[in-house]
Amino acid sequence: MEEGTLKSPSNCAGTVGADYGDPDPFQWDTREDCQVRQILDRVADKWSLLVIALLDNRRLRFTELRREIDGVSQRMLTVTLRQLERDGLVERTVHPVVPPRVEYELTPLGGTLHATIRSLVTWTEAHQGEIAAARSDYDERERERERERESAGVPKSS
C-alpha cells in the first residue's frame, strides 16, 4: 500500500485530505489497478459520453450510432460499445433475422450515468460564454508575453 492512500482496496480513489478528514476527491489514485480510476477513464472518454448521450431513452443500431457520432471509426465504436456493455451500462440485443439486426440501449445503470452527463452538459451550456472569454483573455496574454520575449531577443519557445 502506497503511503497516504486509503487502506480499503475498494476505495482507492484518493488520499486523506489535509484538515478535512475525508478522502480528497481531487487526488485520483494513479495505480492502474484502481477500479475508480478505470471506471472514470471509461465513462469520461469522448466516445463513451457521446454513446451514452445518444442512447438516452431509445435504442439505436450500430449504423445509426456511427452516423450520429462524427469522427468515430467503426473499430472505435465497436470497442466503446463492448466496453460499455462489459461495464453494465449498455445492453446489446441481437434479433434473429437475416441479416442480423443488433440494437443498443442504456441499462438502468447507464441511465443513471446519463443524468450526470446531462448535468455536465447543462453546466457547459450555461458557462460557455465565460469559458470563451477566459480563453480569449488567456490567448491575448500569451500573445503579449510572446511579443515581450521577441522584443527582449529571447528565442521563440516551442
Side-chain angles (χ1 to χ4, degrees):
M1 179 82 32
E2 295 175 36
E3 185 177 328
T5 60
L6 297 176
K7 304 241 184 263
S8 168
S10 64
N11 187 1
C12 56
T15 59
V16 176
D19 300 325
Y20 301 116
D22 295 326
D24 183 350
F26 302 107
Q27 298 299 316
W28 302 111
D29 195 305
T30 58
R31 292 174 295 170
E32 290 192 20
D33 64 343
C34 177
Q35 290 296 310
V36 172
R37 177 182 170 195
Q38 291 174 6
I39 294 166
L40 286 171
D41 286 348
R42 168 87 62 251
V43 300
D45 79 69
K46 70 179 179 179
W47 303 125
S48 293
L49 288 172
L50 290 168
V51 166
I52 292 165
L54 286 168
L55 292 177
D56 183 41
N57 295 319
R58 62 182 175 163
R59 292 180 191 169
L60 290 174
R61 296 177 71 177
F62 182 91
T63 53
E64 293 170 316
L65 281 166
R66 187 160 179 223
R67 194 177 315 122
E68 291 287 329
I69 302 174
D70 189 40
V72 70
S73 68
Q74 180 172 336
R75 182 186 183 292
M76 184 52 65
L77 183 56
T78 298
V79 168
T80 299
L81 287 165
R82 283 184 186 156
Q83 291 171 339
L84 292 172
E85 183 181 6
R86 180 174 183 249
D87 289 343
L89 302 172
V90 168
E91 183 176 339
R92 179 179 184 258
T93 304
V94 179
H95 299 277
V97 295
V98 178
R101 190 177 85 222
V102 180
E103 294 177 324
Y104 297 90
E105 63 185 316
L106 291 181
T107 63
L109 180 61
T112 64
L113 181 57
H114 184 269
T116 301
I117 293 169
R118 189 177 324 121
S119 296
L120 181 61
V121 170
T122 300
W123 179 90
T124 304
E125 289 171 342
H127 297 284
Q128 64 185 337
E130 294 168 73
I131 292 169
R135 287 176 176 176
S136 179
D137 291 347
Y138 177 90
D139 292 346
E140 182 55 38
R141 287 191 310 272
E142 285 299 303
R143 284 190 291 274
E144 181 59 32
R145 286 183 192 121
E146 191 59 38
R147 286 190 290 271
E148 289 172 3
R149 284 190 292 265
E150 286 176 6
S151 66
V154 177
K156 262 190 169 178
S157 57
S158 36

